Amino acid sequence: MKKSISTILSMSIAAGLLAGCSTNDSKETAPKTKVETETTQQAETKPGVAQAEEVDTSFIKNKLLDVKYGSQSEAQKLDIYWPNEGEGPFPVIIAIHGGGFMQGDKTGTDLTAMMEGVNHGYAVVAVNYRLSGEAIFPAAISDVKAAIRYVKANAKEFNLDSEKVVAWGGSAGGNLAALVGTSGDADSLNGENTENMEYTSEVQAVVDWYGQIDFLKLDEQFKESGITPKMGERGSADSPESKYIGGNITENKEQVEKANPATYITKNDPAFLIQHGTADPNVPTQQSIDFSEKLTEVLGDEKVELTLLEGAVHGGEPFNSKENLQEVFDFLDRILK
């Protein structure tokens, strides 16, 4: 396991709807060999819904928004962003938002760093999934896996490389990215999504930013670290993890184990880059340290990298900084290009 402990010292606009494009049937308008620049228009504000600050995608010319990848929920949509230059097929970043499994969106500012992928020759696929208020575990991971299968099934049409896919997420998105990575060769988390089952949800690399891994250890690790948890006790019935699991995590240990990416580690897993701030008040740093050690035991040093960002909290500028993103894209380029 490669470790680099560095002191690396946050980055937003409404996503546009593709003009003239049906968001319910992307195949009619999807690029086939070369993505052509499309005119975009301002997304309409949904009545009665508070609009969170959105990631700036104004620099990306080629995009296809609100593509349906599943039939279980209206939440099952994804956005595709292509590099402004290049012929493709492009390697793919599956961008998974955070929000404690109970909030967040594929247009949120926590995807800012991932959108930089288009400047490095990657297509970025931002995924929405069912939140815990709509459906409990394993709905979210089942949706992300379904989205990956959809991308692979339509890779030729969308000018994407189905054999070069990375899952990248932060916080709850980090958990889901890690879970995609370790469970790619397992069918137990597919849930009720049955589309494109002839394709796997396996990925070639994972970028896990400060994801919670072992829910049952969150409280004790905070006590050991001396850091006051910003979100209170996680072993309570109203914690994000308990809402996600569908009951107090201390009383649903079997489900918690199934939501733990470490449960599924095998020698066939992809390469992992794990990054975490040492002053994180939302997810203890020890979560990533323990997970990286378990991965290394099976995969070896060459496939697991851990970076601890000294003094960094839960996301923000230290992760989005030019220096840190260079480390991330160096890792991805090494694996996928």
Side-chain angles (χ1 to χ4, degrees), residues 10 16 26 32 72 79 120-121 149 212 240 250 253 276 280 290 297 306 313:
S10 290
S26 59
K32 298 189 185 308
Q72 298 295 318
D79 298 336
H120 292 260
R149 295 196 305 271
Q212 56 268 66
T250 63
K253 295 183 179 181
H276 210 128
D280 192 329
D290 290 351
E297 289 176 5
L306 171 66
V313 290

Side-chain angles (χ1 to χ4, degrees), residues 64 68 74 88-89 119 121 136 151 167 225 269-270 275 297 309 331:
L64 187 63
K68 293 186 68 174
E74 279 300 305
N119 292 326
I136 60 174
V151 166
S225 71
D269 290 346
Q275 298 191 321
E297 289 176 5
L309 280 65
F331 164 79

Side-chain angles (χ1 to χ4, degrees), residues 11-16 37 40 54-63 81-85 111-120 122 124 325 329:
M11 295 168 67
S12 50
I13 294 181
T37 302
T40 59
E54 297 184 347
V55 64
D56 182 2
T57 60
S58 61
F59 65 98
I60 306 175
K61 298 177 182 178
N62 310 309
K63 60 191 75 172
Y81 302 88
W82 289 270
N84 292 335
E85 299 178 355
L111 300 189
T112 294
M114 303 164 204
M115 291 301 170
E116 282 297 312
V118 300
N119 292 326
H120 292 260
Y122 293 86
V124 178
L325 289 185
F329 287 111

